[in-house]
Amino acid sequence: MGDSAYSFSLTTFSPQGKLMQIEHALNAVKKKGKTAIGIVANNGVVLATTKKLPPLVDAKNVHKVSKVTNGVGVVYAGLGPDYRVLLSRARKRAQVYYRKYQDDIPVLQLTRQTAQVMQEFTQQGGVRPFGVSLLIAGFDEEGPQLFQADPSGAYFQWKATAIGEGFMNAKSFLEKRFSDDWDHDIDYAIDQAILCLKNDFEGEMTEHNIEIGIVEKDDDGKTIFRLLPAEDVRTAMDNLA
């Protein structure tokens, strides 16, 4: 009996040791999700993704890079509605932590708790895995941090990575530019993120069909997450021309 015979069961392993619904969820990320990139700089983290929308959609209210807390940002590849559920849960958990400790939740702990939610949806009947992967960026005592969480509930820390349909080409691009002595600032990381997206972009890339968010320290040393305005994205693209 092949793996296809186990495709309709979330809780039954195939003879090859796979949970096929998780494999299908990963395919939703790899085949349907637009490419998203995360890059760690020496003074922050950059999250970037493509944002192609139908021409009649008002793009001002559509964001793929979002704020979880004042100092943590997230980008996704996969199913948008699934992402909204996880984003809402992550924000609630961050608020619970803040009300209890009067401090922002560490990015590793937030990632772990979000990944736990994703994992719980892989071992219960009557539910399905989330068809989305996340890149979560933040800052802690050890510096800027970047994590990836997948539909299985697995999570990893990265210096730079990519998810979505173009992840293989994007990772290859990043691997050629990263080394063990990588020590560049956030402006350089923004440039590399734009070049990486452009490397596999179909059609003309503009400031309106890509989105970039950054986590950095402000002048007072406080960690902040912010979306780059379209004009700043345009300036960065012009500087690379």
Side-chain angles (χ1 to χ4, degrees), residues 215-236:
V215 177
E216 61 183 353
K217 295 284 189 180
D218 64 12
D219 294 337
D220 297 324
K222 187 175 181 180
T223 302
I224 59 170
F225 167 80
R226 63 186 179 93
L227 285 173
L228 284 188
E231 54 269 23
D232 290 353
V233 176
R234 179 75 261 173
T235 300

Side-chain angles (χ1 to χ4, degrees), residues 78-127:
L79 304 180
D82 287 15
Y83 167 66
R84 290 197 299 270
V85 172
L86 289 171
L87 178 62
S88 176
R89 293 202 179 195
R91 286 171 171 169
K92 287 179 180 178
R93 293 191 178 220
Q95 285 299 310
V96 168
Y97 185 95
Y98 185 83
R99 289 185 66 183
K100 185 174 183 179
Y101 298 106
Q102 296 300 304
D103 197 8
D104 290 334
I105 187 170
V107 62
L108 173 58
Q109 186 168 337
L110 181 63
T111 301
R112 184 185 296 120
Q113 292 185 7
T114 304
Q116 180 179 347
V117 173
M118 299 170 81
Q119 194 277 332
E120 288 172 355
F121 275 69
T122 69
Q123 59 181 30
Q124 303 177 40
V127 298

Side-chain angles (χ1 to χ4, degrees), residues 150-203:
D150 285 334
S152 65
Y155 63 92
F156 313 90
Q157 185 171 4
W158 295 88
K159 298 176 182 176
T161 193
I163 55 177
E165 61 184 359
F167 82 100
M168 291 188 67
N169 289 339
K171 278 191 174 182
S172 178
F173 179 95
L174 293 170
E175 287 170 357
K176 293 176 182 177
R177 283 156 176 78
F178 267 75
S179 59
D180 291 337
D181 58 351
W182 165 272
D183 187 29
H184 295 285
D185 65 14
I186 204 162
D187 291 330
Y188 182 83
I190 290 171
D191 291 344
Q192 294 305 306
I194 292 173
L195 290 173
C196 188
L197 290 176
K198 191 174 182 180
N199 189 51
D200 205 36
F201 195 88
E202 295 181 4

